[in-house]
Amino acid sequence: DAKTTQPNSMESNEEEPVHLPCNHSTISGTDYIHWYRQLPSQGPEYVIHGLTSNVNNRMASLAIAEDRKSSTLILHRATLRDAAVYYCILRDSSNFGNEKLTFGTGTRLTIIP
Amino acid sequence: EAGVAQSPRYKIIEKRQSVAFWCNPISGHATLYWYQQILGQGPKLLIQFQNNGVVDDSQLPKDRFSAERLKGVDSTLKIQPAKLEDSAVYLCASSHNRGRRVQYFGPGTRLLVL
């Protein structure tokens, strides 16, 4: 499975934007970039995903580098409820029916009031 | 829409005992996953079902772990006998087998083996 590299931890002030980086230099053409987050004492939840173009949804934005070797999850205005571990995951879409998620250790985001 | 349900939420057992976890996926989701999450690590896939068939169980320790999904809906994961290193959170997730294939996770069962 293609690997991702994320910082272990980040801090951000409340109500400011947060940029969470992810490196995936060995990404293949069929890999989608997925982001999940895990709030304390909960199961992970889906945030956003993309292939080549930048993506926006109600939770966040995903900026993907032109060479696809890195991406950035953007939380436009962080709140205390965004404090969580954020996982960047490559999901191979070519193996239809077995598109498993391989989690790393993620980035622990702390929001400072 | 009801989420993924899991029970029990917490379980404490002694080593060499047996334990079972139950999962009820979101209605209509054909794919069901069991993950193990050890403290400080990301979740690790143990087994994936498509309806009632196994798609991937390559990381399931089959000498002690077993899982079934009878009738393609609910699933149970069993550990027999448990070891100290099995202390972890066991997460169940489900997804559609079409479209974005987003995985929806339950709250997990926290297992402590003494």
Side-chain angles (χ1 to χ4, degrees):
Chain A
D1 295 328
K3 295 288 190 289
T4 63
T5 304
Q6 299 178 253
N8 288 332
S9 62
M10 291 183 63
E11 288 186 349
S12 180
N13 293 320
E14 192 177 11
E15 299 185 3
E16 291 187 355
V18 181
H19 291 235
L20 296 164
C22 181
N23 288 316
H24 28 78
S25 57
T26 59
I27 191 170
S28 72
T30 55
D31 285 332
Y32 279 78
I33 302 160
H34 283 245
W35 284 82
Y36 281 72
R37 73 179 185 180
Q38 188 170 22
L39 279 66
S41 301
Q42 295 188 25
E45 66 172 344
Y46 168 82
V47 177
I48 199 167
H49 78 285
L51 183 62
T52 56
S53 303
N54 294 344
V55 184
N56 300 295
N57 66 20
R58 63 174 181 81
M59 290 181 69
S61 295
L62 177 59
I64 301 173
E66 197 169 330
D67 63 5
R68 301 214 319 131
K69 294 185 176 182
S70 65
S71 61
T72 302
L73 179 70
I74 302 166
L75 307 178
H76 293 287
R77 190 167 170 271
T79 69
L80 296 177
R81 289 178 296 178
D82 292 320
V85 178
Y86 286 78
Y87 297 99
C88 171
I89 302 164
L90 299 183
R91 189 173 199 183
D92 184 2
S93 63
S94 66
N95 189 3
F96 187 79
N98 189 11
E99 298 164 346
K100 65 182 181 182
L101 297 175
T102 301
F103 288 82
T105 53
T107 296
R108 181 173 299 278
L109 177 65
T110 300
I111 304 298
I112 302 168
Chain B
E1 178 179 72
V4 176
Q6 290 188 247
S7 68
R9 292 295 312 278
Y10 305 92
K11 190 73 176 179
I12 301 175
I13 61 173
E14 295 189 350
K15 60 183 180 183
R16 292 188 289 274
Q17 285 187 323
S18 303
V19 65
F21 312 126
W22 173 83
C23 173
N24 180 234
I26 293 173
S27 178
H29 281 191
T31 309
L32 185 146
Y33 313 80
W34 282 102
Y35 290 85
Q36 178 193 59
Q37 185 172 24
I38 293 172
L39 188 64
Q41 299 180 18
K44 181 184 82 171
L45 180 69
L46 292 176
I47 189 167
Q48 176 185 344
F49 291 95
Q50 177 84 5
N51 296 309
N52 60 352
V54 176
V55 174
D56 184 350
D57 64 356
S58 57
Q59 297 194 88
L60 186 73
K62 299 180 185 63
D63 58 334
R64 297 184 301 105
F65 285 65
S66 64
E68 61 181 10
R69 192 183 182 198
L70 299 177
K71 301 181 182 178
V73 182
D74 293 5
S75 177
T76 56
L77 176 69
K78 297 179 182 177
I79 308 175
Q80 181 178 11
K83 292 185 176 181
L84 297 178
E85 59 260 37
D86 298 332
S87 295
V89 176
Y90 291 85
L91 295 159
C92 179
S94 69
S95 70
H96 279 296
N97 60 350
R98 61 186 185 278
R100 295 183 307 159
R101 306 174 74 86
V102 170
Q103 292 189 22
Y104 296 87
F105 286 79
T109 296
R110 188 174 298 274
L111 173 67
L112 179 61
V113 182
L114 302 175

